[in-house]
Amino acid sequence: MQLQDILYSQGFGTRRVCAGLIQKGHVTVMGELCTDAAADFEEVGLGFTAQGVAWPYQERAYLLLNKPAGTECSQKPSTWPSVYTLLPSPLRTRPQKASVQGVQCVGRLDQDTTGMLLMTDDGQFIHKMNSPRRHVPKVYEVTTKHPVDQKQIDRLLSGVVLDDDPKPVLAAACVATSELSLQLTLTEGKYHQVKRMLAAVGNRVEGLHRSRIGGMTLPADLLPGQWRWLSADDLALLQP
Ligand code: URA
């Protein structure tokens, strides 16, 4: 693929802008300066640097963000900064593929929820991970306002009715982890689901953290606000 097309595919601007970056000497490929915008490279496995940003070529972008509290998953947030501000801008400006422009959140977390947030420009992956039929388990660490008792746990496991939905929703697993905390596993993702489920059993969420999706746990070395690319092994773990 021509170098200008490689940069374009990774979100570094229009083909013209990318050609300009290359011709002005702002791009190195595998450590070597390249000023020929039409130079051909095998893109798979290619590493390049554009304007000082080191970039591994990725046909599709899959990443994991440790979402900090006080951030919104919307691209146009109403009150809090958007999680998109935590990512380098090429990830937001990758050219449209199917109906997806740039990376998108794979399901949303509330502004005060922390932890695992997947982002990608692969529309099929988003659909697969969000589909209730796939039953991808998502594990939440919940801090509660009131003590957790067995009756609440039994109700969360057997199903609670949320205001707008006559069909009960239930937790796939639920264990108390202390007097004021529990670990809840859900396989669907309705709006404010954990908060509404806890409210339905007479408790209240004081803190919410997503610690696991599918078979992947949030890596301890990925600090709040940090992101990293997902490897092929990570992707295999995420999808049951
Ligand atoms: N359930 C909620 O209530 N909030 C989240 O952010 C995620 C799940």
Side-chain angles (χ1 to χ4, degrees):
M1 198 190 278
Q2 290 192 347
L3 187 55
Q4 59 190 349
D5 294 330
I6 292 175
L7 261 68
Y8 168 74
S9 74
Q10 302 300 288
F12 284 84
T14 62
R15 283 193 176 77
R16 213 162 136 188
V17 167
C18 292
L21 284 176
I22 298 162
Q23 286 151 0
K24 285 182 196 141
H26 294 308
V27 178
T28 61
V29 180
M30 299 302 216
E32 301 262 315
L33 180 68
C34 179
T35 53
D36 176 5
D40 248 311
F41 290 96
E42 169 54 47
E43 65 275 16
V44 177
L46 191 78
F48 64 90
T49 302
Q51 291 179 308
V53 183
W55 208 261
Y57 172 87
Q58 308 270 351
E59 192 192 345
R60 298 275 183 184
Y62 302 93
L63 48 112
L64 168 65
L65 172 73
N66 184 353
K67 181 188 174 297
T71 51
E72 289 186 31
C73 286
S74 167
Q75 303 224 29
K76 294 193 181 114
S78 52
T79 312
W80 304 86
S82 165
V83 290
Y84 291 86
T85 61
L86 299 167
L87 304 178
S89 61
L91 285 171
R92 282 177 272 148
T93 50
R94 285 166 75 90
Q96 183 160 338
K97 293 200 192 84
S99 57
V100 181
Q101 158 85 69
V103 297
Q104 309 288 319
C105 297
V106 182
R108 291 184 172 199
L109 294 175
D110 297 337
Q111 74 68 24
D112 50 352
T113 302
T114 59
M116 281 181 95
L117 181 66
L118 307 178
M119 301 180 87
T120 183
D121 61 348
D122 180 345
Q124 277 186 353
F125 181 79
I126 295 176
H127 180 72
K128 265 198 290 185
M129 295 301 291
N130 286 339
S131 165
R133 266 182 277 143
R134 293 247 172 189
H135 302 293
V136 179
K138 285 149 193 141
V139 178
Y140 294 91
E141 313 298 330
V142 188
T143 308
T144 58
K145 182 171 173 68
H146 309 294
V148 177
D149 61 34
Q150 194 56 44
K151 207 166 140 212
Q152 290 171 20
I153 292 180
D154 291 344
R155 284 189 64 201
L156 291 166
L157 287 168
S158 59
V160 292
V161 173
L162 305 179
D163 18 293
D164 56 345
D165 195 346
K167 202 171 149 239
V169 288
L170 44 123
C174 181
V175 280
T177 45
S178 77
E179 197 196 3
L180 290 175
S181 65
L182 51 82
Q183 189 183 68
L184 192 69
T185 306
L186 302 180
T187 55
E188 51 189 337
K190 293 180 189 297
Y191 183 65
H192 292 329
Q193 185 165 339
V194 176
K195 290 176 184 165
R196 290 159 73 211
M197 286 178 79
L198 267 290
V201 300
N203 210 321
R204 191 189 149 115
V205 172
E206 291 281 293
L208 188 55
H209 175 79
R210 186 154 69 186
S211 57
R212 192 172 177 87
I213 300 178
M216 184 180 181
T217 304
L218 181 66
D221 60 355
L222 191 71
L223 302 177
Q226 290 183 338
W227 70 276
R228 73 157 165 82
W229 300 104
L230 289 167
S231 66
D233 287 349
D234 296 331
L235 290 171
L237 280 174
L238 286 165
Q239 303 172 76

